[in-house]
Amino acid sequence: MTQFEHANITVPNIDAALAFLLNAAPDFQIKTDQTHQDSYRWVHIGNESCYFALQEPHSPSTSKDTRKPYQNIAVNHIGMIVDDLDNIKLNLLALGYEQNGDVTQEKHGRRLYFYDKAGFEWELIEYDTETLTDRYNYTD
């Protein structure tokens, strides 16, 4: 079975991305944080089974995101399964993160979207079943 291991993302501010991820995914930890001499910074953050490889832009002039999500070719959002959507939502709101829409209730779970401080969208999903065919059933 194929499964997700990592995604490599260039972010405008690694510290801002880390702050969001450490609150949105409480089981995540920083695995490595390195800046090689005369190079850019990169960090791996995740848990035992998956991680995000975050890196800074190679040039400060490219750190502004000018794309239009859902219109330009790029990643629109990344979804993460979480254990306690309600607590994570309250924590992120208290920290000043912007919620995008209301919680969407589905047959076997709920989902919610947030923007990090750089404007990147993250989808948080909480399932009420371990049965994968129920989680990913696209019919009513």
Side-chain angles (χ1 to χ4, degrees), residues 16 20 27 33 37 41 45-46 50 55 67 75-77 88 94 101 110-112 118 122-123 125 129 133-134 136 138:
F20 178 84
D27 65 318
D33 185 343
Q37 188 175 18
R41 181 177 172 204
I45 178 173
C50 65
Q55 71 176 44
R67 70 182 181 90
V75 174
N76 295 310
H77 68 262
I88 292 171
R110 302 177 305 141
R111 61 187 67 240
L112 178 60
W122 298 86
E123 178 181 354
I125 308 118
T129 180
T133 54
D134 288 341
Y136 305 116
Y138 298 102

XYZ file of all heavy atoms in Angstrom, residues 16 20 27 33 37 41 45-46 50 55 67 75-77 88 94 101 110-112 118 122-123 125 129 133-134 136 138:
244
model
N 7.148 30.852 11.319
C 5.693 30.980 11.301
C 5.041 29.641 10.946
O 4.028 29.255 11.543
C 5.263 32.063 10.314
N 2.536 27.288 13.470
C 1.220 26.771 13.099
C 1.183 25.250 13.237
O 0.285 24.694 13.868
C 0.845 27.170 11.671
C -0.490 26.617 11.260
C -1.652 27.272 11.599
C -0.576 25.413 10.568
C -2.892 26.746 11.256
C -1.803 24.885 10.217
C -2.965 25.548 10.559
N 1.128 16.189 17.910
C 2.088 15.080 17.980
C 3.318 15.322 17.111
O 4.242 14.514 17.110
C 1.423 13.759 17.568
C 0.978 13.751 16.118
O 0.439 14.773 15.650
O 1.164 12.718 15.447
N 16.647 20.935 12.143
C 16.574 22.355 11.779
C 17.999 22.757 11.425
O 18.848 22.856 12.306
C 16.040 23.163 12.962
C 15.816 24.631 12.640
O 16.364 25.129 11.626
O 15.093 25.288 13.410
N 26.292 26.407 5.813
C 27.050 27.634 5.539
C 26.779 28.108 4.117
O 26.806 27.329 3.179
C 28.538 27.371 5.737
C 29.376 28.610 5.659
C 30.839 28.308 5.974
O 31.291 27.175 5.934
N 31.573 29.356 6.287
N 17.887 27.879 5.009
C 17.457 27.077 6.161
C 16.429 26.043 5.716
O 15.573 26.324 4.884
C 16.862 27.996 7.215
C 16.394 27.294 8.469
C 15.890 28.313 9.464
N 15.265 27.665 10.607
C 14.371 28.244 11.368
N 13.989 29.495 11.122
N 13.833 27.603 12.388
N 9.646 18.576 10.128
C 8.741 18.543 11.272
C 7.671 17.492 11.004
O 7.099 17.451 9.912
C 8.110 19.930 11.542
C 7.134 19.863 12.723
C 7.462 20.510 10.302
C 6.587 21.202 13.174
N 7.428 16.625 11.987
C 6.422 15.594 11.795
C 6.360 14.645 12.965
O 6.794 14.961 14.069
N 5.258 10.408 9.230
C 5.280 11.373 8.133
C 5.857 12.701 8.613
O 5.933 12.949 9.807
C 3.880 11.586 7.560
S 2.719 12.348 8.716
N 11.454 24.564 3.690
C 12.680 25.279 3.357
C 12.360 26.729 3.057
O 11.241 27.059 2.677
C 13.409 24.642 2.188
C 12.721 24.818 0.852
C 13.544 24.234 -0.280
O 14.084 23.150 -0.172
N 13.644 24.961 -1.368
N 0.730 33.741 -6.144
C -0.199 32.872 -6.874
C -1.622 33.055 -6.360
O -1.845 33.569 -5.254
C 0.223 31.415 -6.742
C 0.005 30.890 -5.352
C 0.459 29.461 -5.194
N 0.194 29.047 -3.837
C -0.943 28.471 -3.429
N -1.898 28.227 -4.290
N -1.110 28.147 -2.171
N 0.101 23.847 -4.996
C -0.641 23.159 -3.942
C -1.657 24.139 -3.373
O -1.313 25.268 -3.032
C 0.320 22.676 -2.829
C -0.452 22.088 -1.668
C 1.309 21.664 -3.392
N -2.907 23.723 -3.273
C -3.950 24.598 -2.741
C -4.077 24.495 -1.224
O -4.249 25.489 -0.547
C -5.292 24.281 -3.396
C -5.264 24.605 -4.867
O -4.874 25.694 -5.273
N -5.632 23.642 -5.688
N -4.042 23.306 -0.711
C -4.012 23.090 0.737
C -3.489 21.686 0.998
O -3.424 20.866 0.094
C -5.388 23.299 1.390
C -6.409 22.284 1.018
N -7.356 22.492 0.041
C -6.630 21.023 1.469
C -8.125 21.422 -0.082
N -7.701 20.509 0.775
N -8.183 21.739 18.894
C -7.225 22.360 17.969
C -7.810 23.646 17.401
O -7.126 24.666 17.330
C -6.813 21.366 16.866
C -5.977 20.244 17.491
C -6.050 22.075 15.754
C -5.685 19.095 16.558
N -7.422 31.078 19.309
C -6.831 31.863 20.406
C -5.466 32.422 20.028
O -5.065 33.479 20.519
C -6.725 30.997 21.664
N -14.120 29.299 6.684
C -15.399 28.589 6.638
C -15.716 27.903 7.946
O -14.976 27.985 8.929
N -15.472 15.126 10.332
C -15.633 16.579 10.204
C -14.335 17.148 9.682
O -13.262 16.613 9.936
C -15.947 17.209 11.564
C -17.178 16.651 12.211
C -17.456 17.220 13.594
N -16.323 17.054 14.489
C -15.931 17.974 15.369
N -16.547 19.120 15.480
N -14.897 17.747 16.153
N -14.431 18.278 8.979
C -13.230 18.934 8.457
C -13.360 20.438 8.601
O -14.458 20.979 8.653
C -12.948 18.516 7.012
C -14.002 18.837 6.010
C -13.695 18.215 4.630
N -13.760 16.776 4.673
C -12.741 15.957 4.390
N -11.593 16.443 3.978
N -12.864 14.664 4.484
N -12.207 21.086 8.683
C -12.145 22.524 8.889
C -10.858 23.038 8.262
O -9.838 22.346 8.262
C -12.145 22.826 10.397
C -12.036 24.271 10.852
C -13.198 25.106 10.324
C -12.002 24.326 12.367
N 1.290 32.913 6.953
C 1.768 33.249 5.611
C 0.650 33.153 4.581
O 0.863 33.415 3.406
C 2.913 32.327 5.217
N -4.554 25.093 5.351
C -4.408 23.746 5.886
C -5.788 23.192 6.201
O -6.627 23.880 6.789
C -3.585 23.764 7.164
C -2.189 24.265 6.962
C -1.768 25.566 6.973
C -1.042 23.478 6.674
N -0.418 25.631 6.733
C 0.052 24.359 6.544
C -0.812 22.106 6.528
C 1.345 23.918 6.272
C 0.476 21.676 6.273
C 1.527 22.573 6.137
N -6.034 21.951 5.812
C -7.300 21.280 6.114
C -7.066 20.322 7.274
O -6.131 19.521 7.248
C -7.787 20.499 4.893
C -9.066 19.743 5.129
C -9.507 18.964 3.894
O -8.883 19.096 2.829
O -10.491 18.209 4.019
N -8.835 17.337 9.532
C -9.910 16.359 9.409
C -9.920 15.464 10.638
O -8.874 14.980 11.072
C -9.718 15.466 8.159
C -9.499 16.310 6.909
C -10.911 14.528 7.972
C -8.175 16.096 6.268
N -14.300 6.989 12.500
C -14.183 5.582 12.166
C -12.744 5.270 11.758
O -12.046 6.136 11.229
C -15.142 5.187 11.020
O -14.989 3.789 10.744
C -14.867 5.979 9.756
N -12.663 2.447 4.116
C -13.698 2.531 3.076
C -14.827 3.458 3.497
O -15.471 4.073 2.655
C -14.255 1.138 2.725
O -14.701 0.497 3.931
C -13.201 0.289 2.028
N -15.064 3.594 4.794
C -16.062 4.546 5.273
C -15.523 5.974 5.218
O -16.239 6.908 4.854
C -16.492 4.231 6.712
C -17.354 3.001 6.796
O -17.939 2.585 5.758
O -17.465 2.437 7.907
N -13.369 7.253 3.161
C -13.195 7.762 1.804
C -14.322 7.313 0.883
O -14.113 7.049 -0.295
C -11.822 7.337 1.274
C -10.710 7.782 2.209
C -9.915 6.853 2.863
C -10.493 9.129 2.478
C -8.905 7.267 3.744
C -9.519 9.548 3.362
C -8.725 8.609 3.983
O -7.751 9.026 4.854
N -17.312 8.443 -1.168
C -17.737 9.721 -1.730
C -19.200 9.729 -2.151
O -19.651 10.614 -2.854
C -16.829 10.094 -2.909
C -15.382 10.258 -2.456
C -14.466 9.252 -2.689
C -14.987 11.370 -1.754
C -13.151 9.383 -2.262
C -13.679 11.520 -1.311
C -12.768 10.523 -1.565
O -11.476 10.652 -1.127
